[in-house]
Amino acid sequence: MKIVKLILCVLFGLMFINAGLDKFFHFWPMPKLEGEVLKAGMAMGTIKWLMPLIAVIELLGGLLFAIPKTRALGAIVILPVMVGIVLHNATYMPEGLAIAGPMLLINLWMIFDNRGKYKPMVN
C-alpha cells in the first residue's frame, strides 16, 4: 500500500507541476473554447495576476505533494486549486470529472492520512 500511495502522490504532484509550467510556457495546445467556458476564460484572463498566481500555487503544491516529508503541506496548498478544478469541470465540462474527481479523492486521502500533522494548527 505504501508504494501505491507513493506512486499516486508523485504522479499527482507531477500533474500539477506540468499544469503550472504550462501556464508559463504554453507547451500544451489550447482547446477551442465556446459558450460559457469561453466567457469564464475571458473573465479570468482580465485579471492579469490570477493565472500566474495559480501557476505558482500549482508548481509549489505539486512539488510539496510529491515529496513524502512535505506532502501534508502540499495537500493543503493544492486543495483550493483542486476544488476550483472540480467545480469548473462540474459546471462547464463534466467529462473532465473522470480525471478531476479521482484527483480530488487522492488529495482528500492525503489530507486525511496526515490529519495528525494538522492538529497543532487547530488546537
Side-chain angles (χ1 to χ4, degrees):
M1 189 64 161
K2 226 177 187 181
I3 192 76
V4 171
K5 183 167 81 170
L6 178 66
I7 290 169
L8 284 175
C9 290
V10 168
L11 290 174
F12 182 98
L14 288 174
M15 287 180 77
F16 274 99
I17 291 168
N18 181 51
L21 289 172
D22 182 59
K23 286 176 181 59
F24 287 120
F25 301 113
H26 311 289
F27 48 83
W28 286 103
M30 183 72 163
K32 185 169 170 51
L33 303 178
E34 298 174 343
E36 293 296 315
V37 177
L38 178 61
K39 287 180 189 175
M42 289 178 66
M44 287 184 6
T46 61
I47 305 169
K48 299 294 181 205
W49 53 265
L50 184 60
M51 292 315 275
L53 174 64
I54 293 170
V56 168
I57 292 170
E58 287 177 342
L59 286 166
L60 179 63
L63 183 63
L64 291 169
F65 201 97
I67 301 168
K69 188 174 178 106
T70 60
R71 188 165 295 139
L73 179 58
I76 293 297
V77 167
I78 209 71
L79 183 63
V81 174
M82 191 70 246
V83 169
I85 291 167
V86 169
L87 290 174
H88 175 83
N89 279 280
T91 305
Y92 300 116
M93 300 164 44
E95 64 276 6
L97 288 172
I99 295 172
M103 287 188 66
L104 178 62
L105 291 177
I106 292 168
N107 196 176
L108 293 173
W109 174 29
M110 288 307 108
I111 289 172
F112 181 77
D113 198 44
N114 289 289
R115 65 192 176 278
K117 294 179 181 178
Y118 307 125
K119 284 186 181 182
M121 294 189 311
V122 292
N123 282 340

